[in-house]
């Protein structure tokens, strides 16, 4: 529902919704920075540094190479963790949604393990793999797994029976062929949404994955916070936000291209 003010504003911007979103978004950012700057005037720098201080810190970390090093370190365990968790989650979700026998057998285990947060697995990561990229990747994979599992399960489970009947009438009879030619294409919107959500979730998990000593952006944030270097903390939070924006925009573009048939 749009108000009269919103209607007038939209008309004033030539009715172009995209232009309106850009202008209003820019105004929102400017307003946020203004509030931040005013709040910083009444707080010491170790509590809330001003935007210009954070900007200088960001550029300093970038020029020194520390930021690039931390980014590469985080990607080293974020990427394999995301790929493994996504692949396993989709594979298991499709399998259990397709097979009632497998679903019934796995249901109790799924209900027990699903509520376990990735942070609770840190002890297992240290004991089984160690304080290294593999241990961090394990935490990230756990975060990706359940998102993609439920997205794939829900997508396959919601495929209409009529689609399968049409496939069988056209000579697609084996389970593997039905899944590949009928089920996966029909469930692809939900599966791709799960992949996109999981990628963002896993990127946010790098702080938790590095909390036990694995180098990267998360460890840099934790070290800076322990030293009350709030400007460094915010600088690396901004880096995470920028990387997430790039990732999400790229995945959205791929998603739109793959689902152009809709």
């Amino acid at each position: 529902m749009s108000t009269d003010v919103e209607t007038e504003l939209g008309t004033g911007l030539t009715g172009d919704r995209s232009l309106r979103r850009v202008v209003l978004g820019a105004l929102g950012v400017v307003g946020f920075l203004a509030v931040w700057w005013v709040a910083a005037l009444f707080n010491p720098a170790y509590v809330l540094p001003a935007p210009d201080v954070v900007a200088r810190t960001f550029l300093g970390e970038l020029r020194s190479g520390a930021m690039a090093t931390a980014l590469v370190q985080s990607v080293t365990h974020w990427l394999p963790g995301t790929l493994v968790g996504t692949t396993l989650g989709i594979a298991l979700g499709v399998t259990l949604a397709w097979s009632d026998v497998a679903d019934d057998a796995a249901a109790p285990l799924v209900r027990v393990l699903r509520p376990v947060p990735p942070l609770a697995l840190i002890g297992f990561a240290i004991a089984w793999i160690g304080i290294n990229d593999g241990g961090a990747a394990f935490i990230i994979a756990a975060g990706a797994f359940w998102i993609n599992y439920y997205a794939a399960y829900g997508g396959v489970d919601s495929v209409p029976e009529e689609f399968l009947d049409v496939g069988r009438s056209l000579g697609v009879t084996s389970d593997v062929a039905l899944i590949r030619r009928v089920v996966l294409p029909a469930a692809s919107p939900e599966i791709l949404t799960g992949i996109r959500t999981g990628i963002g979730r896993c990127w946010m998990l790098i702080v938790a994955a590095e909390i036990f000593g694995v180098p990267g952006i998360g460890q840099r944030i934790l070290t800076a916070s322990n030293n009350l270097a709030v400007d460094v903390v915010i600088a690396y939070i901004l880096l995470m936000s920028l990387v997430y924006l790039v990732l999400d925009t790229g995945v959205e573009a791929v998603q739109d291209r793959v689902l152009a048939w809709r």
Side-chain angles (χ1 to χ4, degrees):
M1 181 183 297
S2 60
T3 64
D4 294 339
V5 173
E6 289 173 337
T7 302
E8 291 176 3
L9 182 57
T11 303
L13 294 175
T14 69
D16 188 334
R17 180 174 174 80
S18 298
L19 178 60
R20 185 180 67 179
R21 286 176 64 89
V22 170
V23 172
L24 291 178
L27 291 175
V29 171
V30 171
F32 172 77
L33 291 175
V35 172
W36 177 5
W37 181 78
V38 172
L41 295 176
F42 299 94
N43 289 278
Y46 64 85
V47 174
L48 183 63
D52 60 312
V53 175
V54 173
R56 287 196 297 270
T57 300
F58 186 97
L59 292 175
E61 292 287 315
L62 188 63
R63 289 167 180 164
S64 69
M67 189 168 281
T69 299
L71 178 59
V72 171
Q73 290 169 335
S74 290
V75 170
T76 300
H77 44 259
W78 170 80
L79 184 58
T82 302
L83 290 175
V84 170
T86 299
T87 302
L88 292 178
I90 292 174
L92 191 63
V94 171
T95 300
L96 298 188
W98 179 258
S99 172
D100 291 337
V101 173
D103 190 22
D104 292 340
L109 190 60
V110 169
R111 290 190 177 96
V112 170
L113 295 178
R114 176 62 187 94
V116 179
L119 272 175
L121 301 176
I122 288 179
F124 293 102
I126 295 174
W128 294 346
I129 304 173
I131 304 176
N132 51 39
D133 288 329
F138 175 80
I139 302 298
I140 292 171
F145 176 83
W146 290 113
I147 292 175
N148 288 280
Y149 166 79
Y150 278 109
Y153 186 100
V156 172
D157 193 50
S158 63
V159 174
E161 188 65 31
E162 292 80 4
F163 287 14
L164 302 178
D165 293 338
V166 171
R168 293 186 183 101
S169 68
L170 295 175
V172 183
T173 55
S174 70
D175 285 354
V176 174
L178 280 171
I179 291 174
R180 183 168 61 88
R181 297 183 181 182
V182 179
V183 173
L184 288 180
S188 59
E190 289 83 359
I191 292 175
L192 288 173
T193 298
I195 291 174
R196 180 181 176 184
T197 304
I199 286 175
R201 169 75 182 279
C202 289
W203 182 246
M204 291 185 286
L205 270 175
I206 61 172
V207 176
E210 296 168 2
I211 199 173
F212 57 93
V214 180
I217 294 175
Q219 188 192 60
R220 188 77 178 96
I221 290 175
L222 292 170
T223 301
S225 63
N226 290 334
N227 295 326
L228 296 181
V230 181
D231 56 333
V232 177
V233 172
I234 299 177
Y236 279 89
I237 289 175
L238 289 175
L239 174 64
M240 290 187 64
S241 298
L242 290 173
V243 173
Y244 172 80
L245 178 62
V246 172
L247 287 172
D248 190 63
T249 302
V251 175
E252 183 182 21
V254 173
Q255 185 179 23
D256 291 342
R257 185 175 183 85
V258 173
L259 300 179
W261 53 269
R262 289 197 300 176

